[in-house]
Amino acid sequence: MTNLPADVLSRLWAHNQAHVLAGWDKLASSQRANLVAQLSAINFAELDQLIAKAKQVTQPAKSQQIEPLPVTPAVVTPHETQLGEDALRRGEVAALIVAGGQGSRLGFEKPKGMYPVGPVSGASLFQIHAEKLLALSRRYGKPIPFLVMTSPATDAETREYFLANNFFGLNEADVIFFQQGTMPAVCARTGRLLLEEPGNLALSPNGHGGTITALAERGVLTELQKRGVKHVYYFQVDNPLLKMCDAGFVGKHIATRSEASSKVVFKTKPEEKVGVFALLDGKCGMIEYSDLPQELATAREANGELRFRAGNPAIHLFAVDFLTRITSSGGLAFHIARKAVTHFDPETQAVVKPGTEPNALKFERFIFDALPLAERWLAVETSRAEEFSPLKNATGADSPETVRADQIALFSRWLEAAGVPTQEQPVEISPLFALDPEELKRQIPPKFAIGGPTYLK
Ligand code: UTP
């Protein structure tokens, strides 16, 4: 039987959390071991501070200067392309996919990266991203380390999936899995830890901003430094249109010695649910769509364009030195969210269902909080139709239907530009066949014709 280590017990008492031990005698050995491991991983001092912060009466927000962010036009100079290609040839770029989210809106029972999103092939998001990296590493003659961030919810299945698919042709040593941290949910009234079930705390991934701390804690930053990697291309699992580690973007980032560079897609309607970049007190920052005041969301320039239109597709390039600097100063701050959480009360041994009001506090870090910490930053205009179509929902906007249609539309444009009419058939191009329209033109066999659904691979 697992016993309770004395240091865990004393911390529970010191931080007023000993209620989690009610019913300890009823727990099986494995449940006890699980609970001890979960409790041992909690930074109670930090948790106390967050709970205290949540209880503070909200102060009037500090007045902040909010201005539109200057955005660099998409056009890439030959010099920038050269800089980017040279960095890729020297192996100075790594790709980082964040795949630890719970994908609750999509409602898919596996990790979101396993979703079959290819419109003709049924290829998964993971396969599409991995094949882009394989094609790029062949093009530049150097592997691009693939950093795959998972969470307890997605880790085991993700690793098994890559293994079962032979890492999609990538060298196993170049695929580096690491898990993000978790944070416990606490009761919004009392600050006490909540349990999901007997012997199991209610834990959730600590947000995509947890990436930076996890990179350091899991030794990935050190590994990158050892490999001579200088820039990390950050992206989310859900966007199959992603232009992976494109040399133009990498080159602009290097040419400006930027610490954090971000792609920008322009909003066309005020109500679009995408965060916007802005200059916040003169620093590059992000305002979530739910936090953007209506008068700013609808403000227009003299030419009719939205004033705050620099939408965030969550594609960034970070300098490794910059990430190291953030981790050495303790990582990003936590945001506090009030949520409704069904939980198990160990004292009454009963399941508690929340009422209409949120009953719990959850804590998450957001990656875009890194942006204002950068001394030099860059925001680069990007075409939404070419590079951004996220899979978020089961139906409607940003659903499998729209994501497949957006891929077909993109590949149809590439084929038409290569002189191949698509006859309105669904078409898909494997990254291993062509990564861009120029490569497609070179690869497509003469007199190639489309007669039905087509997957070029
Ligand atoms: P979202 O915020 O869209 O979350 O994450 P999600 O998990 O995909 O979907 P919902 O909100 O539960 O429906 C954006 C990206 O950040 C990653 C996700 O995997 C996705 O790539 N993410 C999110 C993490 O890696 N960890 C987190 O804790 C949260």
Side-chain angles (χ1 to χ4, degrees):
M1 270 299 216
T2 307
N3 287 319
L4 191 65
D7 63 317
V8 175
L9 183 62
S10 63
R11 266 188 290 151
L12 289 176
W13 281 110
H15 295 277
N16 199 22
Q17 299 286 8
H19 67 285
V20 294
L21 300 177
W24 176 262
D25 292 346
K26 294 193 180 67
L27 297 179
S29 183
S30 58
Q31 289 173 309
R32 290 182 180 192
N34 178 58
L35 188 56
V36 168
Q38 291 179 333
L39 292 169
S40 305
I42 293 176
N43 179 340
F44 282 101
E46 180 181 61
L47 188 63
D48 284 350
Q49 280 176 11
L50 290 170
I51 295 166
K53 194 168 154 201
K55 283 198 179 138
Q56 279 165 12
V57 185
T58 329
Q59 304 289 331
K62 193 166 64 70
S63 81
Q64 196 178 37
Q65 265 228 304
I66 306 178
E67 293 292 328
L69 187 88
V71 176
T72 304
V75 49
V76 178
T77 66
H79 173 63
E80 288 165 344
T81 305
Q82 185 71 48
L83 284 175
E85 289 183 344
D86 288 349
L88 286 154
R89 270 190 210 104
R90 287 194 298 263
E92 290 175 359
V93 182
L96 162 59
I97 186 171
V98 290
Q102 292 168 314
S104 38
R105 283 168 289 173
L106 182 63
F108 180 53
E109 72 283 7
K110 300 188 179 107
K112 204 191 260 187
M114 292 169 66
Y115 195 91
V117 81
V120 182
S121 67
S124 67
L125 285 157
F126 280 140
Q127 177 178 345
I128 292 171
H129 295 310
E131 289 188 350
K132 285 183 186 172
L133 283 170
L134 181 58
L136 277 176
S137 60
R138 286 178 181 161
R139 180 181 282 186
Y140 295 111
K142 253 295 192 237
I144 298 172
F146 191 14
L147 318 176
V148 183
M149 188 178 80
T150 61
S151 65
T154 62
D155 188 69
E157 269 186 290
T158 301
R159 286 173 194 254
E160 280 160 24
Y161 182 64
F162 273 77
L163 188 62
N165 286 283
N166 213 1
F167 298 87
F168 304 100
L170 294 168
N171 189 344
E172 185 175 344
D174 296 322
V175 184
I176 301 171
F177 297 96
F178 67 107
Q179 262 199 63
Q180 70 179 111
T182 54
M183 281 298 277
V186 299
C187 171
R189 203 169 35 82
T190 61
R192 299 208 303 178
L193 289 167
L194 297 179
L195 291 156
E196 195 171 292
E197 59 196 358
N200 197 21
L201 295 177
L203 299 175
S204 26
N206 61 0
H208 37 60
T211 313
I212 301 181
T213 332
L215 280 171
E217 284 170 358
R218 312 284 179 184
V220 183
L221 278 183
T222 314
E223 175 65 22
L224 293 180
Q225 280 152 349
K226 242 193 277 166
R227 290 181 184 225
V229 171
K230 297 197 174 137
H231 318 282
V232 172
Y233 186 94
Y234 168 105
F235 63 99
Q236 302 189 334
V237 69
D238 53 24
N239 175 24
L241 291 199
L242 180 86
K243 220 185 229 184
M244 181 74 77
C245 302
D246 51 315
F249 184 52
V250 176
K252 280 185 185 296
H253 169 83
I254 295 174
T256 51
R257 296 176 48 248
S258 165
E259 291 189 315
S261 302
S262 306
K263 294 206 179 192
V264 166
V265 290
F266 285 134
K267 276 177 72 169
T268 49
K269 288 182 291 201
E271 57 278 10
E272 257 174 64
K273 287 189 174 171
V274 53
V276 291
F277 290 96
L279 267 185
L280 305 177
D281 288 337
K283 293 270 190 182
C284 175
M286 249 279 307
I287 310 178
E288 284 198 272
Y289 66 83
S290 48
D291 293 339
L292 185 67
Q294 181 68 5
E295 68 273 18
L296 297 188
T298 51
R300 296 206 178 252
E301 306 281 9
N303 66 4
E305 283 181 339
L306 288 173
R307 195 159 132 76
F308 291 90
R309 63 184 178 284
N312 174 26
I315 305 166
H316 310 283
L317 245 178
F318 295 119
V320 170
D321 290 348
F322 172 59
L323 296 176
T324 310
R325 195 172 79 224
I326 295 179
T327 56
S328 56
S329 59
L332 305 175
F334 279 98
H335 292 247
I336 303 171
R338 289 169 194 274
K339 297 264 167 85
V341 172
T342 301
H343 59 99
F344 172 78
D345 183 338
E347 286 167 332
T348 59
Q349 296 282 301
V351 172
V352 181
K353 293 228 182 309
T356 45
E357 289 298 302
N359 59 340
L361 303 177
K362 285 191 167 190
F363 310 99
E364 265 193 291
R365 288 171 152 143
F366 297 152
I367 191 72
F368 47 74
D369 282 340
L371 302 177
L373 306 176
E375 275 160 25
R376 292 172 303 280
W377 49 268
L378 190 67
V380 182
E381 178 187 349
T382 300
S383 153
R384 179 188 299 240
E386 308 282 308
E387 300 194 31
F388 185 54
S389 179
L391 177 64
K392 299 282 186 195
N393 305 308
T395 53
D398 300 336
S399 67
E401 197 184 334
T402 60
V403 170
R404 289 189 184 120
D406 288 342
Q407 290 174 84
I408 293 173
L410 174 75
F411 295 132
S412 299
R413 288 196 295 276
W414 289 14
L415 281 161
E416 304 274 347
V420 180
T422 58
Q423 322 289 356
E424 298 192 8
Q425 291 293 333
V427 286
E428 182 181 346
I429 300 167
S430 158
L432 298 174
F433 188 83
L435 270 172
D436 48 48
E438 295 72 38
E439 190 171 25
L440 180 69
K441 272 187 202 151
R442 293 194 298 273
Q443 295 289 67
I444 199 97
K447 302 215 180 75
F448 183 80
I450 288 181
T454 301
Y455 178 46
L456 288 167
K457 63 175 176 183

